[in-house]
């Protein structure tokens, strides 16, 4: 379940990929854009890459202008939420009366709506990757429309299946940390590294290529070239590195010929 869904007090009813529902959102629906106001949207790492590129900003500029940090419940991990406008409705900065000005690059949470998702990875006894539920907000009239979907069709139509693939290891990392006992805390340095690799992709790239990082770790030349040229590959690389330094669960090998620290 997303953090925004929890804050809304939504009680999920488990749905499968083949569960059916009626829904459509368009300017003719009276509540159009109401779901874009008074919201709490957690941005995924891939959301930030797409949005900062769409706005032609660096990741650091985007974070400063359009986001706010929060600590995610039961994880002690920093997450990024969209900074809302200081208007009467607490609107998304990208919504207008006729819709979203960044619609093709809208965040994953917006794409899923009115469907929510909950991950079960690293939950004892889990036999799948998660389940789905409806976000039944009283103002939403989209459920009264005639267009029928399955959850599977909705995910594909909205492009969340692709985004979930990119964010899968990051989501798994958060679920893994949530399962830890409350007394196990991350160091401030670990939180900074999590924030850097998850959200500030441009600064993380500088860290990898302009520090002793590539001397400290044994990274093959093909991977180095991939992450130099492709931000999505760099993002996946960074999340895998986080798995390694936070949970000793990544594919990173220390280069024993170098005494340098990765934090150098």
């Amino acid at each position: 379940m997303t953090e925004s869904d929890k804050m809304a007090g939504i009680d999920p009813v488990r749905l499968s990929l083949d569960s059916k529902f009626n829904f459509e959102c368009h300017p003719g629906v009276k509540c159009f854009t109401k779901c874009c106001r008074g919201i709490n949207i957690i941005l995924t790492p891939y959301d930030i890459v797409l949005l900062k590129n769409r706005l032609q900003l660096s990741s650091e500029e985007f974070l400063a202008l359009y986001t706010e940090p929060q600590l995610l419940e039961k994880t002690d991990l920093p997450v990024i939420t969209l900074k809302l406008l200081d208007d009467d409705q607490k609107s998304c900065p990208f919504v207008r009366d006729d819709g979203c000005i960044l619609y093709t690059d809208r965040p994953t949470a917006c794409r899923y709506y009115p469907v929510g998702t909950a991950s079960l990875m690293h939950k004892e006894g889990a036999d799948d990757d998660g389940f789905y539920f409806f976000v039944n907000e009283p103002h939403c009239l989209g459920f009264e429309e005639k267009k029928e979907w399955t959850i599977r069709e909705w995910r594909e139509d909205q492009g969340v299946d692709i985004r979930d693939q990119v964010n899968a290891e990051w989501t798994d990392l958060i679920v893994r940390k949530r399962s830890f006992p409350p007394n196990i805390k991350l160091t401030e340095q670990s939180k900074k590294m999590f924030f850097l690799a998850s959200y500030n992709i441009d600064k993380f790239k500088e860290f990898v290529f302009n520090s002793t990082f590539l001397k400290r770790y044994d990274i093959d030349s093909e991977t180095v070239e991939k992450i130099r040229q492709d931000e999505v590959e760099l993002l996946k690389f960074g999340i895998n590195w986080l798995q390694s330094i936070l949970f000793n669960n990544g594919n990173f090998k220390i280069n024993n010929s170098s005494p340098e620290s990765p934090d150098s």
Side-chain angles (χ1 to χ4, degrees):
M1 187 189 307
T2 65
E3 199 67 15
S4 56
D5 297 329
K6 290 180 183 178
M7 292 182 177
I10 295 163
D11 185 20
V13 175
R14 186 179 297 217
L15 304 169
S16 73
L17 286 170
D18 296 317
S19 296
K20 294 181 179 181
F21 66 105
N22 289 81
F23 184 83
E24 195 167 12
C25 182
H26 54 81
V29 180
K30 290 182 179 180
C31 61
F32 189 63
T33 77
K34 194 168 183 179
C35 58
C36 306
R37 307 172 199 277
I39 50 177
N40 186 63
I41 295 180
I42 291 179
L43 299 176
T44 70
Y46 191 41
D47 288 336
I48 292 173
V49 168
L50 293 175
L51 289 168
K52 67 100 175 177
N53 287 341
R54 172 68 177 269
L55 295 168
Q56 298 184 327
L57 298 171
S58 70
S59 52
E60 194 158 32
E61 289 170 330
F62 176 80
L63 291 169
L65 289 171
Y66 292 109
T67 73
E68 294 178 323
Q70 295 183 14
L71 284 179
L72 188 62
E73 181 187 3
K74 296 183 180 178
T75 68
D76 203 32
L77 291 172
V79 293
I80 295 302
T81 59
L82 196 62
K83 185 188 296 183
L84 304 180
L85 297 179
D86 189 20
D87 61 8
D88 292 340
Q89 301 181 76
K90 297 295 182 183
S91 303
C92 168
F94 307 121
V95 71
R96 303 294 183 267
D97 288 341
D98 59 349
C100 176
I101 61 174
L102 301 179
Y103 186 77
T104 56
D105 292 305
R106 66 197 184 281
T108 303
C110 302
R111 292 172 181 275
Y112 257 111
Y113 188 88
V115 175
T117 180
S119 176
L120 295 178
M121 289 182 290
H122 290 290
K123 184 174 181 179
E124 186 177 353
D127 57 2
D128 55 21
D129 290 338
F131 63 91
Y132 306 91
F133 55 92
F134 292 136
V135 181
N136 290 306
E137 295 184 301
H139 63 73
C140 182
L141 302 176
F143 286 105
E144 298 177 6
E145 298 292 297
K146 295 181 179 179
K147 178 70 174 177
E148 185 179 76
W149 308 86
T150 63
I151 300 293
R152 189 190 310 276
E153 290 168 342
W154 180 255
R155 292 181 73 250
E156 182 178 355
D157 182 79
Q158 297 296 304
V160 291
D161 50 353
I162 297 170
R163 283 155 179 78
D164 283 352
Q165 289 173 20
V166 176
N167 288 312
E169 288 194 15
W170 181 78
T171 302
D172 189 40
L173 187 154
I174 289 176
V175 174
R176 181 188 295 268
K177 180 60 177 70
R178 193 190 294 273
S179 69
F180 278 27
N183 62 317
I184 298 181
K185 303 288 186 181
L186 297 178
T187 65
E188 288 304 311
Q189 182 66 12
S190 294
K191 291 179 187 178
K192 289 179 181 178
M193 292 296 100
F194 175 85
F195 187 95
L196 179 70
S198 296
Y199 309 121
N200 200 340
I201 192 74
D202 295 317
K203 280 291 182 181
F204 180 63
K205 187 173 185 178
E206 288 182 20
F207 171 65
V208 170
F209 289 100
N210 296 339
S211 73
T212 59
F213 186 99
L214 294 177
K215 294 180 181 178
R216 173 65 172 171
Y217 292 104
D218 185 13
I219 311 295
D220 65 89
S221 58
E222 182 179 353
T223 297
V224 171
E225 193 56 30
K226 277 184 179 180
I227 64 175
R228 191 192 304 275
Q229 301 296 332
D230 189 326
E231 282 186 321
V232 175
E233 291 297 330
L234 178 63
L235 179 60
K236 293 178 179 178
F237 175 89
I239 301 307
N240 188 254
W241 175 66
L242 287 176
Q243 294 274 11
S244 179
I245 65 171
L246 298 181
F247 306 123
N248 196 27
N249 193 45
N251 300 317
F252 283 76
K253 295 181 180 179
I254 298 295
N255 186 348
N256 293 323
S257 64
S258 172
E260 301 287 350
S261 163
D263 302 326
S264 301

